[in-house]
Amino acid sequence: MQAQINAVIDAFPYLLIGAVNTAVIVLAAMGIGLVIGVLVAVGLVYGPRWLRFLLAAYLWFFRGVPILALLFLFYFGLFPYLNIQMNALAAVAVVLGLTTGAYQANIFRGAIQSLPRGQFRAASALGMSDATAIRTIILPQALRLSIAAWSNEYSIILKDSALAFVIGAPEIMARAQFVASRTYQHLPLYLAAALLYFVLTWAGVTALRKLEQKMRIPGYSGEESS
């Protein structure tokens, strides 16, 4: 037992760096996914038919192919083929960002479609262009309504990031496996890794829930208007 405790204590700073790397991957992926998701959602709701078809193909591809397959496809296939120089951490963030972007697009599309359609027509009647109406009226409301589902996506991407170790990204799982393979203390080290994932999940979800409460829209969120 003492050997197991010592192994965890000795490895904890090393694992903690992995936790920081994991947090960077997840935050970068969520940021990429946010930009992609908003643009795709707007295109799906307001775009012409040909654009909606292309965007739907993007959604089907990234929602239908496993994360592990995408990591190998991009890191060992597309990136070298296109002569794109990217380290493992950046590659994982990009792949996860493209993947969560497909899921976030459906979240934002649902939020946009839940808004009263009269708002868009009223903006047009006031002389606003479609782009201005979407940017200043539709998207601020849709983004607020999407925070709850967005926090769920954070948890999913955090767990998916554990697959990054297969391409050598120095995140939590990779570092735990590295130490365990040398100390043979697999159980305590993987328990420590699980605890770090739990802490990151709890911290992120708690922060997003507080943001949701702060940004809640009376009427749309089920609360009565004050």
Side-chain angles (χ1 to χ4, degrees):
M1 178 63 72
Q2 187 62 41
Q4 295 175 335
I5 295 174
N6 290 338
V8 173
I9 292 174
D10 292 341
F12 189 75
Y14 185 73
L15 296 177
L16 198 58
I17 296 175
V20 173
N21 291 338
T22 295
V24 170
I25 289 173
V26 173
L27 292 176
M30 291 297 289
I32 293 171
L34 174 63
V35 174
I36 293 174
V38 169
L39 294 176
V40 172
V42 170
L44 288 171
V45 176
Y46 300 108
R49 185 173 182 180
W50 64 267
L51 179 59
R52 295 199 303 270
F53 176 81
L54 292 177
L55 296 177
Y58 160 75
L59 295 186
W60 276 103
F61 179 78
F62 282 97
R63 285 165 58 90
V65 180
I67 295 291
L68 187 59
L70 290 172
L71 288 172
F72 279 99
L73 172 64
F74 278 81
Y75 189 66
F76 296 113
L78 287 178
F79 290 159
Y81 179 77
L82 298 174
N83 198 29
I84 298 175
Q85 303 296 323
M86 191 174 296
N87 62 36
L89 282 175
V92 172
V94 169
V95 172
L96 291 181
L98 290 169
T99 302
T100 187
Y103 287 92
Q104 290 188 46
N106 277 334
I107 293 172
F108 298 138
R109 177 174 62 176
I112 291 172
Q113 292 175 333
S114 72
L115 296 172
R117 296 184 179 181
Q119 293 187 6
F120 194 78
R121 292 194 295 268
S124 298
L126 292 173
M128 286 188 182
S129 66
D130 290 351
T132 299
I134 292 170
R135 187 180 70 254
T136 61
I137 296 177
I138 303 301
L139 284 183
Q141 297 178 81
L143 291 174
R144 288 183 176 187
L145 294 174
S146 301
I147 295 175
W150 203 64
S151 63
N152 292 334
E153 190 62 23
Y154 166 83
S155 299
I156 293 171
I157 289 299
L158 178 59
K159 287 183 286 187
D160 287 343
S161 71
L163 293 172
F165 83 96
V166 300
I167 63 172
E171 42 73 69
I172 296 173
M173 200 64 208
R175 290 185 168 234
Q177 185 183 44
F178 178 82
V179 178
S181 65
R182 283 154 178 77
T183 62
Y184 301 103
Q185 300 294 341
H186 295 86
L187 178 59
L189 287 167
Y190 289 139
L191 283 175
L195 178 61
L196 288 173
Y197 280 114
F198 175 81
V199 170
L200 289 176
T201 301
W202 175 83
V205 171
T206 299
L208 288 171
R209 283 179 178 173
K210 289 182 178 179
L211 178 63
E212 179 189 2
Q213 293 173 357
K214 183 177 181 180
M215 304 297 290
R216 193 182 299 274
I217 303 175
Y220 294 137
S221 60
E223 293 182 353
E224 295 184 358
S225 299
S226 56

